[in-house]
Amino acid sequence: MCLAIPACIVELLPDDMARIELDGVRKEISLSLIQGARVGDYVIVHVGYALQLLDPEEAAQTLALFAELANQT
Amino acid sequence: MKYVDEFRDGALAQNLTDSIALQAQQSRTYRLMEFCGGHTHALSRYGLLGILPANVQMIHGPGCPVCVLPIGRVDLAIRLAMEKDVILCSYGDCLRVPASDQMSLLKAKARGGDVRMVYSALDALKIAMNNPARQVVFFAIGFETTTPPTASIIRQARANGLTNFSVLCNHVLTLPAMEAILTQPGGVPLQGLVGPAHVSTVIGSQPYQYIAKRFNKPIVISGFEPLDLLQGILMLLRQVNENRAEVENEFTRAVTLAGNRKAQALVDEVFEVRDSFEWRGLGSLPFSGLKIRVAFAEFDAELRYPDLIYTNVPDHKACECGAILRGEKRPQDCKIFGTICTPDNPIGSCMVSSEGACAAHYTYGRFSEVKWAL
Ligand code: SF4
């Protein structure tokens, strides 16, 4: 139930709804729990609701952390 | 897929496992609990358990919503469907949870109960709107991730003036369960905890600080992708080695200190904390579950059907789910694992959901054991 992957918002719909795309599949979800989502943003979707916006800068920084060399630990 | 593939990169995984191997000191044993079932699933699915050093042991926690649901709560849902003639809506994972008398919601459906699987809480609300002549009950389960959607539909039901909709609320809280794990007598000694990913998007990283301080345990909130988990484990090893017990956040791309305030406000408007709630494996825990506030009483199925009274039902005699949920046993310690109890015929709840420890081990882990036996 908790397994969810980030999905891209492709269209904003009435009533705080949005269409998202997930690996080629489109689906309607609710944006009522978050604020300020725009087309092109990535969101974490859980049981049909976006729980949080994904922060692209933080994602890049985390990826950079993974690449830190082992001998620096 | 963006934000997925790069977090599953093999070369980076190798780099992280090398770092973990360097960080893991031979003289120590690191027992780390992944609280959340999503992490349990990922550890098995990506074979991470096999690439960790032998002295880094992952202990499965109780953070699988379907697993911690006690039999007595499922019995209530079945009674609603069979005796009260309601349309009972539930997330798919709940349907196969074994209940009393070898029943489940799925079997209730086969026997004529109007049980419907929904993907989203919103679907339950739509069913109520489309069936004004029938009573519709949403069997709501889950931690802080599924609670805001339930709060949202209760508010919408009020806004739409619905009189045929109610919620059987089984929502539970992460922090009281973490405390229970860390205080249980005879519990496994843990050196640190991997904090849940999606729960933390809602509650934020701040609430864990109390736990880290009080129990002097490092907590690292980590994402669900394999590299996130490896990085989270590495951060925990560093903290243990440096004698730190802090809350660190690996999943900064989605988790902030304060979390999702809009969702928190919504939950607070609709729900209040129960005096106690019964968990499978952990027993009755004070202030660990939510109920619907009096202001929304007309949407509370427990008030609408007052003769539905929760009774405690013991688990199947052979089932070790309780001990597994407390981190004391592993799925392979259960005598009927993989023989009598399989995902097709689950005897306990840990074999039902893909986040359950037994289901994860059955699906991905059981063959890796063979190697060790040779
Ligand atoms: S294998 Fe089945 S019976 Fe055994 S502990 Fe797991 S869920 Fe319970």
Side-chain angles (χ1 to χ4, degrees):
Chain A
M1 256 181 73
C2 284
L3 307 176
I5 52 178
C8 184
I9 299 179
V10 292
E11 190 185 347
L12 297 177
L13 304 170
D15 298 328
D16 245 350
M17 298 292 288
R19 189 160 289 130
I20 53 155
E21 190 177 294
L22 232 176
D23 208 10
V25 181
R26 293 194 165 204
K27 220 171 147 43
E28 276 182 30
I29 60 145
S30 169
L31 294 179
S32 63
L33 301 176
I34 60 170
Q35 269 164 333
R38 289 169 309 188
V39 169
D41 285 344
Y42 279 76
V43 284
I44 293 194
V45 181
H46 189 67
V47 296
Y49 284 75
L51 283 184
Q52 193 60 277
L53 277 165
L54 232 82
D55 184 329
E57 275 168 34
E58 291 289 347
Q61 279 178 24
T62 303
L63 280 172
L65 267 188
F66 297 159
E68 266 181 22
L69 288 177
N71 57 20
Q72 287 176 352
T73 56
Chain B
M1 277 184 290
K2 194 163 178 213
Y3 297 123
V4 175
D5 296 335
E6 44 306 22
F7 290 89
R8 295 181 182 172
D9 180 89
L12 289 176
Q14 186 59 53
N15 188 36
L16 284 170
T17 25
D18 289 348
S19 301
I20 288 173
L22 277 173
Q23 196 63 232
Q25 298 170 358
Q26 283 313 317
S27 55
R28 294 182 191 247
T29 304
Y30 303 83
R31 278 186 209 87
L32 310 175
M33 175 177 277
E34 87 279 5
F35 181 86
C36 172
H39 284 140
T40 303
H41 176 90
L43 285 169
S44 290
R45 175 168 173 194
Y46 300 107
L48 302 184
L49 297 172
I51 59 176
L52 293 175
N55 59 337
V56 177
Q57 297 168 4
M58 301 307 293
I59 315 280
H60 308 317
C64 155
V66 175
C67 305
V68 294
L69 194 65
I71 289 176
R73 301 295 301 186
V74 188
D75 286 349
L76 294 184
I78 291 172
R79 276 186 57 201
L80 277 172
M82 300 307 282
E83 295 167 19
K84 307 287 176 188
D85 197 34
V86 309
I87 302 179
L88 194 282
C89 303
S90 150
Y91 292 129
D93 274 353
C94 300
L95 297 186
R96 292 186 305 124
V97 177
S100 296
D101 307 323
Q102 299 182 5
M103 278 293 280
S104 67
L105 278 167
L106 205 59
K107 286 183 189 154
K109 188 179 167 76
R111 291 184 195 174
D114 196 344
V115 176
R116 304 198 192 172
M117 184 186 122
V118 292
Y119 163 72
S120 166
L122 211 48
D123 297 340
L125 189 72
K126 279 189 203 140
I127 290 173
M129 285 157 104
N130 294 336
N131 294 276
R134 300 278 309 276
Q135 283 295 325
V136 175
V137 179
F138 178 48
F139 185 52
I141 70 149
F143 287 86
E144 288 88 340
T145 48
T146 47
T147 312
T150 307
S152 175
I153 56 163
I154 290 176
R155 258 212 349 201
Q156 258 176 286
R158 155 80 49 87
N160 288 311
L162 289 191
T163 54
N164 66 325
F165 180 69
S166 59
V167 170
L168 180 55
C169 176
N170 303 283
H171 285 300
V172 287
L173 302 169
T174 298
L175 296 176
M178 251 185 198
E179 275 191 75
I181 289 287
L182 290 168
T183 44
Q184 57 174 333
V188 224
L190 296 173
Q191 276 69 44
L193 293 116
V194 179
H198 291 160
V199 161
S200 306
T201 67
V202 176
I203 68 174
S205 61
Q206 202 275 333
Y208 300 97
Q209 277 165 10
Y210 159 74
I211 305 262
K213 260 213 183 81
R214 176 172 163 207
F215 298 99
N216 195 31
K217 300 280 180 227
I219 299 175
V220 176
I221 295 159
S222 154
F224 280 144
E225 295 302 334
L227 297 191
D228 289 316
L229 255 168
L230 290 174
Q231 175 72 15
I233 290 167
L234 177 63
M235 289 162 79
L236 279 172
L237 297 190
R238 282 192 190 132
Q239 284 209 46
V240 174
N241 289 347
E242 292 163 13
N243 246 321
R244 290 183 288 128
E246 294 162 17
V247 177
E248 290 183 316
N249 181 7
E250 185 278 335
F251 199 37
T252 51
R253 61 188 186 279
V255 173
T256 59
L257 194 63
N260 181 342
R261 293 214 200 248
K262 191 176 177 189
Q264 291 166 13
L266 186 63
V267 168
D268 192 46
E269 181 188 341
V270 176
F271 294 107
E272 63 185 324
V273 178
R274 288 180 196 254
D275 292 343
S276 84
F277 192 78
E278 169 118 4
W279 297 57
R280 195 190 290 249
L282 301 178
S284 255
L285 300 180
F287 312 117
S288 66
L290 297 177
K291 65 177 182 196
I292 297 169
R293 282 192 191 276
V294 181
F296 292 91
E298 75 253 44
F299 302 106
D300 188 342
E302 282 172 89
L303 297 176
R304 192 179 286 244
Y305 305 97
D307 60 325
L308 274 191
I309 292 166
Y310 173 78
T311 35
N312 169 287
V313 181
D315 287 346
H316 189 284
K317 272 201 299 295
C319 177
E320 300 279 12
C321 273
I324 292 172
L325 289 166
R326 291 190 298 272
E328 292 164 5
K329 288 197 172 165
R330 299 174 310 159
Q332 50 273 50
D333 298 330
C334 172
K335 285 196 191 69
I336 56 175
F337 171 84
T339 51
I340 296 171
C341 182
T342 61
D344 288 333
N345 179 36
I347 303 297
S349 60
C350 303
M351 192 56 103
V352 174
S353 151
S354 64
E355 293 155 55
C358 295
H361 187 65
Y362 186 88
T363 312
Y364 302 111
R366 74 202 142 111
F367 299 115
S368 62
E369 297 275 307
V370 179
K371 243 185 1 228
W372 299 100
L374 289 174

